[in-house]
Amino acid sequence: MTTKRTVLVTAHTGREAAVDTARTVIGRLVEAGLTVRVLNAEAEAIACAGADVVPASAAAVQDAEMMIVLGGDGSLLRAAELARPAGVPLLGVNLGHVGFLAEAEVEDLAVTVDCVVQGRYDVEERMTIEVTARLNGQLLADTWALNEATVEKSDRMLEVVAEIDGRPLSRWGCDGVICATPTGSTAYAFSAGGPVVWPEVEALLLVPISAHALFSRPLVISPRSTLALEVQPETAGAVLWCDGRRRFDLPAGTRVEVRRGEVPVRLARLHGLEDTGAPFTDRLVAKFDLPVQGWRGRVRS
């Protein structure tokens, strides 16, 4: 007996375009014979017959083949919280702006659904980070991130000492410090002047934000290293943000440690779209509209 394929569809219901797209996707998947689930918090807005309504819990992705996310990168980061523990791959359809995490654009919707129905996709794993914060041995935060963990000032300038593998690196008076993954190199770390790192590179990034120091360059560090940030007593207080979603207050004296996560986030990569499955270089050129006029490529004999 063949098990029926199941897909969870989630959408940014605050956007009319996302709701309309969700109805289209659900209708096509159901017509193709797949079981489709929607989250109960989104079901009323989507109002699409044929979908099973489920709570936003582990059961929502149990035995699911994929989770299709309709929105921007923020929607995909939110969906990752549900999909990551179950190892369910995410397929993002970009309805936002740059959308580096999304695999497809809304104008390619028909082909995207066909790829899912026909199983024409691969799954790649993206490195995550695990983050803890402690004050005098007391655990204040134990969380994770796909893009980055950022320690930021909550009021006045942040005074922080950075440490790598148990050795002090530098002290900065700054607005914050970003600890990012290669996936996050094109997010907040990019805006702060960090390097773009190809997703298949295994590394950790350390990027100070507006640091008042002679040495405050972005650093690319071994994925086997442990990064630590110690909030100094001169700081009134600080805030830890993970993927811009999870927030924790950090009193002076707090120590934040960041290391490679054991559980990755899985992303679906389609076969058959002109701009998907393409090298990351092509994605950069397309997303940032980089000028490549005059390129001839390798001369072939």
Side-chain angles (χ1 to χ4, degrees):
M1 180 177 178
T2 303
T3 303
K4 195 168 184 180
R5 299 167 63 197
T6 301
V7 175
L8 172 63
V9 176
T10 182
H12 188 318
T13 54
R15 297 179 180 174
E16 185 176 349
V19 172
D20 291 341
T21 304
R23 291 170 183 157
T24 300
V25 169
I26 292 169
R28 291 180 181 230
L29 291 174
V30 170
E31 185 179 350
L34 278 68
T35 296
V36 180
R37 298 171 182 164
V38 295
L39 300 178
N40 54 6
E42 301 172 1
E44 183 177 354
I46 295 174
C48 187
D52 298 334
V53 180
V54 295
S57 65
V61 289
Q62 184 176 2
D63 300 325
E65 176 181 331
M66 175 186 292
M67 186 171 179
I68 298 177
V69 185
L70 309 170
D73 279 356
S75 299
L76 211 146
L77 289 170
R78 182 170 60 253
E81 297 180 17
L82 194 59
R84 175 178 176 254
V88 174
L90 296 165
L91 174 63
V93 177
N94 184 36
L95 299 173
H97 299 291
V98 178
F100 256 98
L101 289 173
E103 171 68 358
E105 302 296 326
V106 68
E107 54 265 25
D108 299 316
L109 193 63
V111 179
T112 298
V113 175
D114 287 345
C115 286
V116 173
V117 170
Q118 297 165 18
R120 292 191 288 117
Y121 63 87
D122 296 317
V123 176
E124 68 178 38
E125 294 186 344
R126 291 292 183 92
M127 174 180 162
T128 59
I129 51 177
E130 294 178 355
V131 188
T132 58
R134 289 183 171 86
L135 177 63
N136 299 324
Q138 179 185 357
L139 186 65
L140 303 181
D142 185 3
T143 185
W144 70 282
L146 171 60
N147 275 349
E148 75 281 307
T150 307
V151 176
E152 301 179 6
K153 66 179 184 180
S154 59
D155 186 10
R156 299 187 299 276
M157 181 182 293
L158 172 70
E159 291 286 344
V160 64
V161 173
E163 170 194 298
I164 298 176
D165 292 331
R167 301 303 302 162
L169 172 71
S170 187
R171 174 172 174 148
W172 294 308
C174 57
D175 287 349
V177 181
I178 302 170
C179 301
T181 66
T183 298
S185 73
T186 51
Y188 194 3
F190 177 82
S191 300
V196 173
V197 180
W198 266 235
E200 61 268 26
V201 174
E202 296 187 345
L204 296 170
L205 279 68
L206 189 66
V207 184
I209 306 172
S210 303
H212 295 264
L214 180 63
F215 179 83
S216 59
R217 298 292 187 182
L219 302 175
V220 180
I221 302 162
S222 166
R224 295 178 294 278
S225 291
T226 297
L227 315 184
L229 301 170
E230 296 184 347
V231 180
Q232 297 302 293
E234 298 89 335
T235 302
V239 177
L240 169 65
W241 284 98
C242 290
D243 284 341
R245 293 187 43 76
R246 296 176 293 281
R247 181 187 189 277
F248 305 88
D249 291 326
L250 305 177
T254 300
R255 176 183 172 88
V256 177
E257 292 188 353
V258 177
R259 56 180 54 84
R260 179 178 186 160
E262 293 185 2
V263 181
V265 167
R266 308 180 77 217
L267 299 180
R269 294 302 185 205
L270 305 177
H271 306 164
L273 290 185
E274 181 180 347
D275 57 349
T276 61
F280 184 68
T281 307
D282 293 351
R283 190 170 286 249
L284 276 180
V285 171
K287 297 295 184 180
F288 291 125
D289 193 22
L290 301 179
V292 293
Q293 296 87 348
W295 177 72
R296 297 177 58 194
R298 181 181 301 168
V299 177
R300 302 186 184 277
S301 56

